[in-house]
RNA sequence: GCCCGGGUGGCGGAAUGGCAGACGCUCAGGACUUAAAAUCCUGUGACCGUUUUCGGUCGUGCGGGUUCGAGUCCCGCCCCGGGCACCA
């Protein structure tokens, strides 16, 4: 029998699985379902990297294990294929994005298939397929047709809102101008409804990225730059589509509690939603009337409010507005430090607004110094009627709360800093608890007891908050308020490669949903899909597609539009929406489509949804980078679908695990000046940057701390360094510290590992095995080529253990009913049979232990220790002369989820004509708890917690017997001498401790 | 600054409060070989003593505590990674 040669067996088995549909999932009501899901990839032009197969292998192991354990498993894969990178590439190479996308998908699919994942490929989905995005559009229309009822905390159909308006059960909004519903015309009714829909359009400042030619969601902007490409992003007013995710903020927050997700991930979502409890407080404007409303989380400190601050963009300080509060002359007695060398408040405010507008988010963050301008206006503190000055400052953000604050410098660091700069009064209203080490200091931000606060005095901070809210509410000066940081989701993009919105704009300015029968609304085939260079989307150029004739159907206040040929009676001219949806749209619901991917009547058959989604997806694995984007968006969509009765579970993903990043191979970097003289890593600036050196290899550049001289770091051979204490140093010069770490894989570093290369050299099974053997799934870990060789050697040993002894013979033996033993077709001699019996007895208990260990470890996703257990068992097999068939089959059965190709091949070889078509169809082996422990155990004996010796006992010995044996042991007896034993402790099967 | 993770040999890591370092890598020595590779065997936390069998001491970031017993639990620090951050 030839040795282990992965390339000759892997393709073969992939074909057999495919041809026999081994992994197809159909509803089998008798079996419990198990839905195991991967985050589907964005098929980039780069192809797979080793990070993809990490999570995919983990889910594949669980899928294969669960199938064997009697579950009906759904394990699908698909493509998240709309989006910017493909479009950017298409523009650069002047290829249609559809062509680029198709090519990338084909590449990804063949790469994934080469790894041998047990996907049900008949369920493959592709977000750019019109038959898929037809339902993305349809679900968007459900959002468009839903309003959020705050009383019921639930999304309801627009028709129910109309009914409530009609019956007068619900009051119309103020914008309806005191009219009743039937008095409004159709256009007015549509406008009222727009204010309630979960999908709505507004003209508002948005994140515009000139380089990408599109707007971006808040979540896609990091430090004022686009997440994709790192281009600058500006705030600009534009008409945009928004999704009212804020309505679901509380539901999204509450839903997290019951989910089996990591605490850190839940925390990220909680932070993003950003709930804070406080109050809205109304401050009257002095001498002028009107008021300013602020949001505060510390209503208890209202007596300490000594001034107010508005954001520079606040409407009340808009110098062009009618109702602005900025004074035209400095009030009498304005101190010079408030005047900022300006002739009037108007000048000061104008100058400050200009300065603030020119500062980027980044600059604002980096510079924490407090600046501002006095508006010349005063407000009245509603609780003590004090006159307090009103300032503007960019430390107050228009985007949070009301864009205005009451400043309490004694109990807020920022207010304290501003008050110090402007010489404003600071009034302590909270006294710290006695044990608080910060007691004497200001500002005091921690809770304590109210002081200088009239009727609040003596109350704890929590009590004072409550009482203040009551006082405010009684006098109509304010209300309790829960505020969320999360903003509505900006949902439109000015790009070509996305789902078109199924919406029609009428000439009267109202917007109407397209009729369901007209879905999918496909992207027009255009030659020129490039950004227009203006703020108009590329679809603007598809004039024919863009201008249409429609007829309206249904309730005139809430109609649907059908595009008809020109000249159709009743048709009116209209335009299509030209924006497209963002990349996240398709991934918001793909896990639902897998259940019924070819359905042309619904996004998913309700019966199938009920079966597969009961309790949600059972296991979802993917990268942590989607913590607040995809995972929040799809929870939102899911909850809307749930409210509308379209899905049966309130949360989509019951258990979620983030796989850890895989870093490049560990590198040792030694630093030197340009002269070549070594510099210790301890003596250089820890801020590195990288570049490509003259020899084409990547270099690290930094500077020498003492002199500032340029220092160049180059990779050095691990054999030239050694560890001294905490650090690595050069063997040649122990004074020179070397930087030792692993870097994120990147093209520029040249440390990217391509799975194709690993498969070509070691096979898919070794790739899978190593990815799992590296360490815990969720942990960040460095790649190691030597490690891949390690698992490859393990697989070779398994192969040789079963198929080739040292002399090249089959080593697997089986016993016939007549009691005789055979190795293949050869009967064993009497002497050999005796050996076989002994081997079978020797391996019995290790075999049960193996099954037990692997079973439990897969359940807790501890794949690395499962593999260790298999290695140990295989090492035990190597010590035998013969390998009993049962031991071999069980090893292969538990190996199959991890390394399926070799398991299949060996199974076929050793079981000959009895073999079933695939080992994957065999049930998972059972183990006997009693056979998992050895018959005799070595038990360590300690005296006062110190190891003295060990005794050998029968496994099921009673405590008393064991202790007697311990005391009888000569080693122990000698140590004990005649000291009295105070306490005897026996932990069953573990150890003995004698306390003297 | 706030909130999560995490710190165990040369490296990746293992260990329901019960023999720390499983398993793998690396390295060293040996066997096989004309030789090399591959393979197999042995050893591989540090220090000390015998320098061969063997024996001893220390050891899970640091300092304390609980416990018969702590890598594991509690308190206080240090360091690393990640997230959020002028969010009122």
């Amino acid at each position: 029998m030839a040795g282990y040669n992965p390339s000759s067996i892997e393709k073969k088995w992939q074909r057999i699985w495919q041809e026999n549909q081994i992994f197809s999932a159909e509803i089998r009501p008798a079996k419990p379902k198990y839905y195991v899901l991967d985050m589907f990839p964005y098929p980039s032009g780069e192809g797979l990297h080793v990070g993809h197969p990490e999570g995919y292998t983990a889910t594949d192991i669980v899928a294969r294990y669960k199938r064997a354990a009697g579950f009906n498993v759904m394990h699908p894969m698909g493509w998240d294929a709309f989006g910017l990178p493909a479009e950017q590439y298409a523009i650069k190479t002047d290829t249609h994005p559809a062509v680029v996308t198709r090519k990338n998908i084909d590449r990804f699919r063949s790469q994934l298939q080469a790894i041998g994942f047990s996907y049900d490929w008949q369920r493959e989905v592709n977000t750019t397929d019109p038959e898929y995005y037809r339902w993305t559009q349809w679900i968007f229309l459900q959002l468009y047709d839903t309003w959020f009822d705050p009383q019921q905390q639930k999304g309801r159909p627009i028709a129910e809102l109309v009914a409530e308006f009609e019956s007068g059960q619900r009051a119309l909004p103020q914008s309806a101008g005191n009219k009743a519903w039937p008095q409004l015309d159709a256009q007015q009714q549509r406008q009222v409804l727009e204010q309630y829909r979960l999908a709505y359009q507004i003209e508002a400042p948005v994140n515009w990225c000139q380089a990408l030619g599109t707007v971006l969601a808040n979540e896609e902007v990091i430090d004022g730059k686009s997440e994709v490409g790192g281009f600058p992003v500006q705030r600009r007013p534009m008409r945009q589509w928004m999704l009212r995710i804020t309505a679901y903020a509380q539901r999204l927050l509450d839903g997290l509690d019951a989910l089996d997700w990591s605490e850190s991930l839940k925390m990220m979502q909680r932070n993003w939603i950003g709930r804070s409890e406080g109050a809205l407080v109304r401050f009257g404007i002095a001498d002028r009337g009107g008021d300013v409303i602020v949001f505060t989380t510390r209503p208890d400190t209202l007596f300490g409010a000594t001034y107010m601050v508005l954001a520079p963009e606040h409407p009340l300080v808009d110098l062009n507005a009618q109702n602005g509060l900025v004074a035209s002359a400095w009030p009498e007695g304005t101190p010079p430090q408030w005047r900022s060398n300006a002739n009037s408040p108007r000048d000061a405010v104008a100058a400050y607004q200009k300065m603030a507008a020119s500062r980027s988010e980044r600059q604002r963050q980096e510079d924490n110094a407090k600046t501002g301008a006095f508006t010349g206006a005063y407000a009245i503190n509603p609780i003590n009627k004090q006159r307090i000055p009103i300032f503007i400052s960019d430390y107050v953000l228009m985007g949070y709360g009301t864009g205005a604050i009451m400043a309490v410098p004694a109990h807020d660091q920022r207010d304290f800093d501003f008050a110090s700069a402007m010489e404003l009064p600071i009034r302590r209203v909270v006294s710290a608890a006695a044990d608080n080490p910060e007691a004497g200091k200001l500002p005091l931000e921690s809770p304590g007891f109210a002081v200088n606060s009239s009727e609040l005095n003596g109350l704890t901070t929590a009590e004072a908050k409550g009482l203040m809210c009551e006082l405010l509410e009684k006098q109509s000066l304010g209300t309790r308020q829960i505020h969320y940081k999360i903003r509505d989701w900006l949902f439109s993009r000015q790009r070509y490669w996305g789902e078109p919105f199924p919406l029609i704009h009428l000439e009267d300015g109202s917007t109407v949903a397209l009729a369901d029968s007209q879905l999918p609304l496909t992207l027009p085939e255009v030659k020129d899909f490039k950004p227009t260079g203006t703020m108009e989307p590329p679809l603007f150029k598809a004039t024919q597609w863009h201008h249409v004739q429609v007829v309206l159907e249904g309730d005139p206040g809430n109609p649907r539009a059908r595009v008809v040929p020109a000249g159709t009676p009743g048709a009116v001219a209209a335009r299509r929406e030209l924006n497209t949806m963002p990349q996240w749209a398709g991934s918001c619901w793909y896990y639902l489509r897998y259940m019924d991917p070819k359905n042309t009547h619904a996004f998913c058959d309700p019966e199938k949804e009920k079966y597969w989604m009961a309790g949600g997806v059972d296991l979802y694995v993917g990268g942590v980078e989607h913590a607040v984007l995809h995972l929040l968006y799809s929870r939102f969509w899911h909850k809307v679908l749930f409210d509308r009765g379209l899905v049966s579970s309130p949360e989509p993903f019951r258990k979620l695990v983030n796989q850890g990043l895989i870093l490049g191979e560990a590198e040792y970097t030694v630093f030197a000046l340009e002269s070549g003289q070594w510099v210790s890593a301890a003596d250089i600036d820890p801020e590195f940057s990288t570049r490509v050196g003259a020899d084409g290899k990547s270099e690290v550049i930094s500077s020498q701390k003492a002199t500032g001289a340029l220092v160049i770091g180059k990779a050095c051979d691990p054999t030239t360094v050694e560890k001294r204490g905490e650090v690595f140093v050069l063997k040649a010069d122990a004074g020179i510290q070397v930087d030792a770490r692993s870097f994120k894989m990147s093209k520029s570093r040249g440390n990217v590992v391509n799975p194709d290369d690993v498969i070509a050299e070691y096979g898919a099974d070794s790739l899978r095995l190593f990815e799992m053997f590296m360490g815990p799934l969720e942990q960040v870990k460095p790649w190691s080529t030597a490690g891949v060789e390690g698992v490859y050697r393990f697989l070779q040993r398994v192969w040789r253990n079963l198929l080739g002894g040292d002399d090249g013979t089959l080593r697997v033996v089986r016993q016939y009913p007549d009691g005789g033993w055979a190795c293949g077709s050869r009967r064993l001699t009497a002497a050999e049979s005796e050996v076989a019996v002994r081997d079978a007895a020797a391996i019995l208990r290790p075999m049960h232990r193996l099954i037990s260990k692997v079973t439990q470890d897969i359940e807790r996703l501890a794949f690395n220790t499962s593999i260790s257990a298999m290695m140990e068992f295989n090492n035990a097999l190597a010590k035998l002369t013969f390998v009993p068939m049962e031991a071999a089959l069980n090893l292969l059965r538990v190996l199959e989820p991890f390394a399926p190709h070799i398991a299949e091949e060996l199974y076929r070889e050793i079981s000959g004509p009895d073999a079933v078509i695939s080992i994957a169809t065999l049930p998972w082996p059972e183990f006997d708890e009693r056979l998992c422990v050895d018959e005799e155990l070595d038990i360590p004996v300690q005296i006062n917690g110190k190891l003295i010796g060990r005794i050998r006992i029968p496994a099921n010995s009673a405590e008393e017997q064991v202790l007697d044996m311990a005391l009888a042991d000569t080693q122990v007896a000698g140590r004990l001498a005649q000291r009295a034993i105070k306490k005897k402790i026996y932990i069953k099967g573990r150890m003995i401790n004698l306390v003297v």
Side-chain angles (χ1 to χ4, degrees):
Chain A
M1 172 47 61
Y4 171 48
N5 180 8
S7 60
S8 69
I9 61 171
E10 291 182 348
K11 283 274 168 291
K12 174 178 106 187
W13 284 102
Q14 286 155 14
R15 207 187 56 241
I16 294 174
W17 299 330
Q18 188 74 25
E19 283 169 359
N20 294 281
Q21 291 296 312
I22 301 290
F23 306 119
S24 81
E26 286 314 320
I27 291 180
R28 300 179 183 95
K31 283 187 174 186
K33 66 93 188 185
Y34 196 86
Y35 186 174
V36 49
L37 180 69
D38 291 305
M39 286 188 189
F40 65 164
Y42 175 79
S44 70
E46 323 263 291
L48 284 184
H49 53 81
V50 290
H52 285 114
E54 189 192 10
Y56 298 165
T57 303
T59 51
D60 199 52
I61 291 167
V62 173
R64 287 169 177 269
Y65 160 72
K66 287 282 180 185
R67 275 187 210 106
F71 287 82
N72 189 23
V73 171
M74 179 155 69
H75 186 38
M77 181 44 77
W79 319 107
D80 185 17
F82 271 130
L84 275 175
E87 193 173 356
Q88 291 293 93
Y89 181 81
I91 291 168
K92 211 166 71 189
T93 59
D94 207 26
T95 329
H96 195 279
V99 175
V100 175
T101 300
R102 203 174 313 125
K103 212 177 93 204
N104 290 350
I105 288 176
D106 288 343
R107 168 109 190 270
F108 262 68
R109 191 191 299 106
S110 74
Q111 284 186 301
L112 289 179
Q113 286 176 342
I115 306 175
F117 293 129
S118 64
Y119 294 125
D120 180 357
W121 285 105
Q122 300 193 66
R123 294 177 180 272
E124 179 177 348
V125 302
N126 171 356
T127 56
T128 65
D129 179 348
E131 280 308 304
Y132 179 92
Y133 71 67
R134 150 195 214 146
W135 297 107
T136 309
Q137 292 169 330
W138 185 84
I139 293 171
F140 171 82
L141 288 181
Q142 302 310 301
L143 272 91
Y144 185 74
D145 184 51
T146 301
W147 62 290
F148 191 81
D149 179 345
Q151 278 79 46
Q152 295 184 19
Q153 278 288 302
K154 188 181 164 193
R156 299 173 59 192
I158 290 289
E160 292 183 16
L161 179 65
V162 172
E164 291 194 4
F165 283 150
E166 261 169 4
S167 69
Q169 187 189 340
R170 181 171 295 270
L172 290 175
Q174 293 196 329
S175 60
N178 276 333
K179 285 191 189 154
W181 184 255
Q183 297 172 281
L184 302 178
D185 66 25
Q187 184 200 352
Q188 287 168 326
Q189 289 181 346
R190 286 177 220 146
Q191 276 166 0
V192 167
L193 295 180
E194 271 220 11
Q195 298 172 39
Y196 288 82
R197 297 180 187 276
L198 293 184
Y200 65 99
Q201 46 193 334
I202 50 159
E203 178 87 19
V206 293
N207 305 303
W208 169 257
C209 178
Q210 182 68 40
L212 293 174
T214 185
V215 297
L216 298 170
N218 290 336
E219 291 86 342
E220 294 168 303
V221 181
I222 293 163
D223 288 338
K225 295 205 172 118
S226 65
E227 189 184 23
V228 176
F231 301 112
V233 172
Q234 302 161 285
R235 304 284 293 175
R236 274 209 200 176
M238 276 178 81
R239 186 189 62 83
Q240 292 297 337
W241 281 94
M242 307 290 282
L243 295 186
R244 212 179 292 279
I245 191 171
T246 50
Y248 280 79
Q250 191 61 49
R251 294 256 307 271
L252 289 168
L253 192 61
D254 295 341
L256 288 172
D257 295 337
L259 296 179
D260 187 0
W261 293 16
S262 75
E263 213 33 59
S264 64
L265 199 93
K266 289 190 195 179
M267 196 53 68
M268 279 188 230
Q269 292 220 343
R270 287 193 188 111
N271 284 343
W272 192 263
I273 295 167
R275 179 191 155 107
S276 55
E277 285 178 38
L280 289 178
V281 184
R282 206 152 45 113
F283 283 66
I285 303 171
D287 315 322
R288 169 189 171 282
D291 36 48
V292 186
I293 295 177
V294 304
F295 174 69
T296 177
T297 55
R298 293 295 301 273
D300 61 300
T301 62
L302 187 47
F303 283 97
T306 53
Y307 65 101
M308 289 184 84
V309 186
L310 310 190
E313 305 82 15
H314 195 284
L316 283 171
V317 292
D318 182 347
L319 296 175
N320 302 316
Q322 292 289 308
N323 63 341
L325 54 66
V326 181
S328 42
W330 293 117
E332 213 167 304
T334 301
Q337 68 271 20
W338 296 7
R339 296 187 188 221
S340 28
N341 297 320
N343 290 326
S344 70
R346 290 191 69 89
D347 289 355
V349 165
Y352 191 81
Q353 285 171 335
K354 202 173 155 207
M355 190 278 297
S358 72
R359 286 219 298 176
S360 68
E361 291 275 321
R362 183 120 239 175
Q363 284 169 313
R364 281 195 188 194
Q365 273 170 28
E366 275 171 9
D367 180 12
N368 266 352
K370 299 288 178 286
T371 56
F374 178 42
T375 60
Y378 286 81
I380 305 295
N381 183 331
I383 204 75
N384 60 10
K385 310 297 177 214
Q386 249 178 21
R387 269 171 79 90
I388 58 175
I390 303 174
F391 288 81
I392 63 168
S393 172
D394 65 3
Y395 84 87
V396 172
L397 309 175
M398 194 57 223
Y400 187 78
T402 61
I405 62 157
M406 62 178 216
V408 185
H411 304 289
D412 182 284
Q413 184 67 51
R414 294 154 301 171
D415 295 344
F416 183 86
D417 294 343
F418 187 84
S420 306
M422 291 288 176
E423 298 177 39
L424 285 154
I426 295 170
R427 182 166 183 213
R428 178 191 275 275
V429 290
V430 180
S431 134
D435 60 347
N436 188 336
E438 313 260 289
K441 280 200 252 163
L442 283 181
L444 175 79
E445 293 185 320
S446 48
F449 299 91
V451 293
N452 301 325
S453 298
S454 172
E455 56 263 66
L456 303 186
N457 284 345
L459 297 181
T460 63
T461 295
E463 291 163 348
K465 279 182 189 177
L467 182 57
M468 180 58 83
C469 287
E470 265 176 50
L471 294 172
L472 292 171
E473 278 173 349
K474 223 176 275 168
Q475 301 174 60
S476 306
L477 296 170
T479 58
R480 280 169 218 270
Q481 171 83 19
I482 292 165
H483 188 81
Y484 300 92
K485 204 161 74 183
I486 189 170
R487 309 280 84 198
D488 276 341
W489 175 13
L490 182 95
F491 193 69
S492 41
R493 298 292 183 276
Q494 292 68 51
R495 296 306 297 247
Y496 173 75
W497 196 228
E499 299 87 347
F501 282 80
L503 296 170
I504 296 292
H505 297 283
L506 303 179
E507 288 195 323
D508 66 10
S510 47
T511 305
V512 177
L514 209 56
D516 285 355
S517 61
Q518 300 219 309
L519 302 181
L521 171 58
T522 53
L523 274 170
E525 280 297 328
V526 294
K527 277 213 145 53
D528 181 10
F529 46 82
K530 298 182 176 79
T532 56
T534 67
M535 290 169 81
E536 288 291 355
L539 290 181
F540 182 73
K541 292 185 279 194
T543 334
Q544 299 248 327
W545 181 84
H546 169 188
H547 294 281
V548 291
Q549 297 275 318
V550 299
V551 292
L552 299 184
E553 299 172 339
D555 175 3
N558 182 26
R560 302 293 291 268
R562 199 151 52 80
V563 173
V564 292
T568 305
V572 294
R575 287 170 301 109
R576 291 196 192 274
E577 169 66 42
L578 297 178
N579 286 304
T580 53
M581 297 186 200
Q583 195 187 342
W584 312 107
S587 61
C588 272
W589 71 282
Y590 74 110
Y591 57 94
L592 297 171
R593 187 62 177 172
Y594 283 137
M595 295 183 285
D596 200 4
K598 308 214 162 67
N599 194 332
T600 52
H601 306 292
F603 71 93
C604 176
D605 179 86
E607 286 306 311
K608 294 182 177 171
E609 192 280 330
K610 266 198 206 82
Y611 177 77
W612 289 113
M613 281 298 285
V617 169
D618 297 282
L619 177 66
Y620 192 23
V621 175
V624 72
E625 66 273 18
H626 295 113
V628 288
L629 295 159
H630 161 62
L631 286 173
L632 198 59
Y633 295 155
S634 54
R635 290 183 62 220
F636 165 49
W637 278 39
H638 196 89
K639 285 189 183 300
V640 177
L641 293 175
F642 177 74
D643 286 353
R644 296 298 304 267
L646 295 165
V647 297
S648 57
S649 61
E651 285 283 343
F653 314 120
R654 184 177 60 78
K655 180 176 172 72
L656 179 124
V657 174
N658 294 121
Q659 82 268 24
L661 195 66
I662 295 182
L663 304 174
E665 196 126 358
E667 291 176 36
Y668 297 89
T669 310
V670 62
F671 296 93
L673 296 172
E674 280 172 300
S675 64
Q677 195 197 336
W678 283 327
V679 181
S680 176
D683 298 330
I684 68 159
D685 196 304
E687 295 288 320
F688 292 166
S689 60
T690 58
R691 68 172 194 194
V692 176
D695 57 357
K697 292 190 176 152
S698 99
E699 296 177 342
V700 170
I701 51 174
S702 184
S703 59
Q704 192 172 16
K705 267 192 217 155
T707 63
L710 179 72
V711 172
I712 298 164
K714 292 193 182 189
C716 65
D717 197 274
T719 57
T720 63
V721 302
E722 63 183 343
K723 194 156 192 184
R724 281 280 170 93
E726 297 292 291
V727 295
F728 284 89
V729 298
L730 282 182
K731 280 182 186 164
D733 182 347
I736 302 298
Q737 275 184 35
V738 170
D739 184 65
R741 65 168 109 172
S742 298
F743 295 87
K744 202 168 162 174
M745 286 190 189
S746 72
K747 245 200 242 163
S748 64
R749 273 207 90 75
N751 61 351
V752 175
V753 177
N754 181 342
D756 296 347
D757 299 341
V758 179
I759 292 173
E761 193 156 2
Y762 303 101
D765 285 334
S766 291
L767 173 71
R768 296 170 58 115
L769 215 48
F770 178 65
E771 297 236 3
M772 294 298 100
F773 187 60
M774 289 165 86
L777 180 61
E778 301 189 55
Q779 196 164 303
V780 178
K781 3 178 215 294
W783 186 260
S784 156
T785 303
V788 184
E789 280 176 31
V791 296
Y792 180 59
R793 279 201 284 268
F794 160 64
L795 291 179
Q796 287 178 311
R797 278 196 288 267
V798 173
W799 184 279
R800 281 197 305 268
N801 265 338
L802 305 194
L803 290 190
D806 291 342
D807 54 355
T809 55
L810 187 70
R811 292 182 64 214
V812 177
V813 293
R814 69 167 79 200
Q815 192 171 26
Y816 285 108
D818 64 11
W821 291 80
C823 181
S825 56
R826 186 181 71 83
R827 285 271 174 167
L828 297 190
T829 63
E832 284 174 326
S833 296
E834 245 176 70
V835 175
V837 168
R838 256 202 328 269
D839 283 346
I843 207 66
L844 181 68
R845 285 167 188 272
M847 184 182 82
H848 281 267
R849 264 203 298 275
L850 170 73
I851 300 167
S852 153
K853 178 76 176 155
V854 174
T855 307
Q856 288 166 25
D857 281 357
I858 293 178
E859 291 281 0
R860 62 190 183 103
L861 309 183
F863 307 113
N864 53 335
T865 48
S866 311
I867 296 168
S868 298
M870 291 184 237
M871 287 174 168
E872 278 179 272
F873 184 74
N874 188 53
N875 290 344
L877 287 187
K879 294 196 167 63
L880 304 181
T881 308
F882 296 111
V883 174
M885 180 62 82
E886 194 191 8
L889 288 179
N890 281 327
L891 172 61
L892 294 177
R893 191 64 198 89
V894 299
L895 178 62
E896 181 268 338
F898 297 80
H901 310 89
I902 189 175
E904 294 276 21
E905 184 70 16
L906 287 173
Y907 165 73
R908 182 63 66 86
E909 284 295 328
I910 64 170
S911 37
D914 305 343
V916 294
I917 189 138
S918 162
I919 190 174
T921 63
L922 292 181
W924 194 253
E926 292 184 0
F927 60 90
D928 184 338
E929 201 73 61
R930 287 163 307 177
L931 292 177
C932 288
V933 284
D934 283 322
E935 283 174 288
E936 287 203 321
L937 303 171
D938 271 326
I939 303 289
V941 182
Q942 299 180 343
I943 295 176
N944 289 343
K946 230 173 111 146
L947 186 68
I948 299 304
R950 48 191 81 234
I951 57 168
R952 197 160 176 80
I953 61 160
N956 50 2
S957 310
E959 173 162 355
E960 218 154 295
Q961 278 176 288
V962 176
L963 288 170
D964 286 346
M965 277 190 280
L967 293 172
D969 184 82
T970 49
Q971 278 264 3
V972 175
R975 287 300 188 112
L976 279 173
Q978 36 205 261
R979 289 187 285 177
I981 297 174
K982 285 193 207 136
K983 198 168 175 184
K984 295 182 238 178
I985 296 152
Y986 173 58
I987 308 297
K988 192 166 177 2
R990 287 292 198 168
M991 51 98 59
I992 296 161
N993 192 10
L994 302 171
V995 186
V996 296

